[in-house]
Amino acid sequence: MKLDEIKISKAIIESYNNKLIDALDVDVAIVGAGPAGMVCGYYLAKAGKKTVLFERKLSVGGGMWGGGIMFNEIVVQDKAKRLLDEFGIKNRLYEKGYYLADSVESVSTICSKAVKAGLRIFNLMSVEDVMVRNKKVTGLVLNWTAVEMANLHVDPITMRSKFVVDATGHPAEVARIVERKSGIRLKTKTGKTMGEESMWAQVGEDTIVKNSKEICPGLYACGMCANAVFGGPRMGPIFGGMLLAGEKVAKDLINRF
Ligand code: 48F
């Protein structure tokens, strides 16, 4: 059989078009493919919820690949070891309460499990706005990252979702868009994003899970973004809280359907 380049191109274009059209009306749309967003997507997809995830970068994994200062190891505490085991990520005890895992294995395994469970990931796509109806977040406004990077004047497209999850990490991008543009009061003390606090791993890891919840009608914060919204500390290269946050938001959402 002779290979036909046009057939290869046509296959990709047709298949991607169908995938994107199918992603325009879903149960849950997640923004950001860091550990929190991907774990959240895994559990939602596993529960049969139609879930899509939009990631700005070419690669998924967010801040997990780099471990600490590019040493590609991550630390996970006692409480979250069961999630490493559930995903099948090899881990070893360092000292009582501290487990170590390879960051490359962690990202690739979580991603693979999530996609195999049915999560649709669109990389190279940036969320630049939200859709709001009656003071509820009802969808996302999307553009190619390449358009964003080149600062081109090109209009975006819109997708509808019963719920949106902001898993954009430190910048809490979706929450900040809602705060800036929609006039919706966030469920924080001030009604606005409170901003992340300086390093404190113990408090950060606990609050990240507590703060990963609905922040206004239709919108959840998940992972590092949650402490940026509610005002909690950062925690550095310990990742148990991110995994537990993803699981928590997915479970909350599954209960609401
Ligand atoms: O930053 P990130 O890994 O968030 P996370 O899952 O985990 C945080 C940890 O990596 C680390 C930490 C652990 O102690 O503090 O920082 O909460 O992943 C966020 C992803 O969101 C993407 C971004 O490229 C990254 O991969 N992202 C951010 N804004 C947008 C976006 C946007 N507007 N549209 C699409 N993707």
Side-chain angles (χ1 to χ4, degrees), residues 30-38 53-57 59-65 125-128 145 148 166-174 177 196 205 208 222-226 234-239 242:
I30 301 170
V31 189
M38 286 199 296
L53 188 157
F54 300 102
E55 166 54 50
R56 170 180 282 140
K57 294 193 174 143
S59 68
V60 298
M64 204 185 220
W65 295 111
M125 245 203 212
S126 293
V127 170
E128 62 168 58
T145 299
E148 181 185 64
D166 184 348
T168 60
H170 296 271
E173 288 198 24
V174 184
I177 291 168
E196 179 190 299
E205 282 291 288
I208 207 86
C222 183
M224 197 58 228
C225 156
R234 66 185 305 186
M235 66 292 291
I238 177 158
F239 282 82
M242 300 303 141

Side-chain angles (χ1 to χ4, degrees), residues 65-207:
W65 295 111
I69 60 159
M70 300 196 286
F71 289 13
N72 61 2
E73 294 281 313
I74 59 163
V75 171
V76 168
Q77 65 274 45
D78 264 345
K79 262 194 252 176
K81 175 183 162 35
R82 67 175 174 80
L83 286 171
L84 292 178
D85 293 337
E86 189 176 331
F87 276 94
I89 297 166
K90 276 198 302 294
N91 57 87
R92 59 200 183 280
L93 187 67
Y94 176 66
E95 264 181 29
K96 192 171 180 301
Y98 298 81
Y99 292 86
L100 276 165
D102 180 274
S103 72
V104 176
E105 183 188 347
S106 302
V107 171
S108 55
T109 304
I110 293 169
C111 179
S112 166
K113 288 252 168 175
V115 172
K116 284 185 199 301
L119 176 69
R120 280 282 161 85
I121 298 183
F122 291 86
N123 57 341
L124 294 167
M125 245 203 212
S126 293
V127 170
E128 62 168 58
D129 203 347
V130 292
M131 178 161 70
V132 173
R133 294 289 181 278
N134 303 317
K135 301 272 176 200
K136 177 179 186 291
V137 176
T138 56
L140 295 171
V141 177
L142 310 163
N143 217 327
W144 304 115
T145 299
V147 166
E148 181 185 64
M149 287 173 78
N151 203 15
L152 299 176
H153 189 165
V154 178
D155 268 317
I157 57 170
T158 309
M159 58 83 57
R160 179 167 39 228
S161 179
K162 294 190 183 88
F163 294 100
V164 167
V165 176
D166 184 348
T168 60
H170 296 271
E173 288 198 24
V174 184
R176 288 187 200 278
I177 291 168
V178 170
E179 172 188 328
R180 196 171 68 243
K181 296 183 77 169
S182 73
I184 299 176
R185 197 183 153 80
L186 303 184
K187 296 178 180 183
T188 61
K189 276 190 208 139
T190 59
K192 296 183 179 304
T193 52
M194 312 270 294
E196 179 190 299
E197 296 166 7
S198 292
M199 184 76 86
W200 190 353
Q202 177 69 59
V203 177
E205 282 291 288
D206 288 343
T207 50

